[in-house]
């Protein structure tokens, strides 16, 4: 069971990394996002890593919900999870629900730091507490852009992977 969880998490990480490059088909989107990050004092590279990691966590949480509802555990369930469900998880789940079940072992150090940073952001108070919401809203808008752009009536995480393949983003 642990190896299934690890495999699903790794797949979520890879898919999370595809979201922004797929959204950036219109060059103005990337420039605007970078300008917004800089305007808020957030390093562009760090901001994009936080977004990709948040996407992985949201996909992971949505997949865990599907498994809890009776779907089999595994990558197939992740691939069948609608992007709308992931987007809804971003805006409807509490921060601790997004972070629940996050792995203890990561693919690389940067990923581990990004998850740790999101954990810290989730429990900030005062003005710093807005960062978790801010990153989540960027992710939500990115997912909605991909959903709206899709020719498929209800695109899934599997479609996201297919789009990444077609765009040459897969390793």
């Amino acid at each position: 069971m642990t190896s299934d969880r690890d495999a699903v998490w790794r797949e979520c990480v890879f898919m999370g990394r595809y979201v922004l490059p797929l959204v950036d088909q219109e060059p103005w989107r990337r420039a605007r996002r970078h300008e917004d990050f800089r305007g808020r004092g957030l390093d562009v590279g760090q901001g994009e890593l936080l977004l990709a990691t948040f996407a992985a966590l949201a996909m992971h949480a949505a997949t865990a919900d599907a498994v809890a509802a009776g779907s089999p555990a595994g990558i197939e369930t992740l691939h069948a999870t609608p992007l709308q469900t992931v987007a809804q998880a971003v805006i409807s789940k509490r921060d601790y629900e997004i972070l629940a079940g996050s792995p203890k072992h990561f693919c690389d150090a940067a990923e581990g730091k990004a998850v740790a940073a999101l954990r810290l952001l989730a429990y900030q108070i005062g003005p710093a507490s807005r960062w978790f919401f801010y990153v989540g809203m960027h992710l939500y808008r990115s997912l909605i852009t991909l959903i709206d752009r899709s020719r498929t009536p209800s695109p899934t995480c599997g479609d996201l992977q297919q789009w990444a393949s077609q765009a040459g983003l897969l390793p």
Side-chain angles (χ1 to χ4, degrees):
M1 184 65 152
T2 303
S3 62
D4 278 347
R5 279 188 190 165
D6 290 344
V8 169
W9 171 250
R10 281 192 304 277
E11 191 75 7
C12 289
V13 168
F14 289 127
M15 286 189 199
R17 291 176 183 171
Y18 306 148
V19 171
L20 290 179
L22 288 170
V23 167
D24 290 345
Q25 288 179 4
E26 297 103 353
W28 63 268
R29 290 186 186 276
R30 184 175 191 206
R32 193 155 138 200
R33 184 177 61 251
H34 289 188
E35 182 180 321
D36 191 36
F37 284 166
R38 286 187 204 101
R40 293 180 182 266
L42 183 62
D43 176 74
V44 170
Q46 184 66 24
E48 292 193 345
L49 179 60
L50 288 174
L51 271 165
T53 305
F54 202 121
L57 288 165
M59 287 177 206
H60 195 259
T63 302
D65 288 349
V67 170
S71 295
I75 291 177
E76 297 80 22
T77 299
L78 169 62
H79 286 184
T81 301
L83 287 178
Q84 184 63 46
T85 301
V86 176
Q88 192 61 39
V90 170
I91 61 169
S92 66
K93 286 189 173 288
R94 303 281 307 213
D95 44 16
Y96 59 85
E97 292 174 304
I98 293 286
L99 292 163
S102 60
K104 292 173 181 40
H105 305 287
F106 301 101
C107 298
D108 57 36
E111 175 193 324
K113 286 180 183 178
V115 171
L118 286 168
R119 282 184 184 133
L120 287 173
L121 291 174
Y123 297 104
Q124 293 294 317
I125 55 172
S129 66
R130 295 185 194 112
W131 282 104
F132 193 88
F133 176 78
Y134 170 73
V135 172
M137 289 313 301
H138 258 293
L139 173 59
Y140 176 77
R141 285 191 302 271
S142 296
L143 291 170
I144 294 302
T145 297
L146 293 175
I147 292 165
D148 289 345
R149 194 185 286 160
S150 173
R151 293 184 185 137
T152 306
S154 181
T156 64
C157 291
D159 292 322
L160 180 74
Q161 186 174 34
Q162 182 181 359
W163 300 333
S165 176
Q166 291 168 349
L169 299 174
L170 297 181

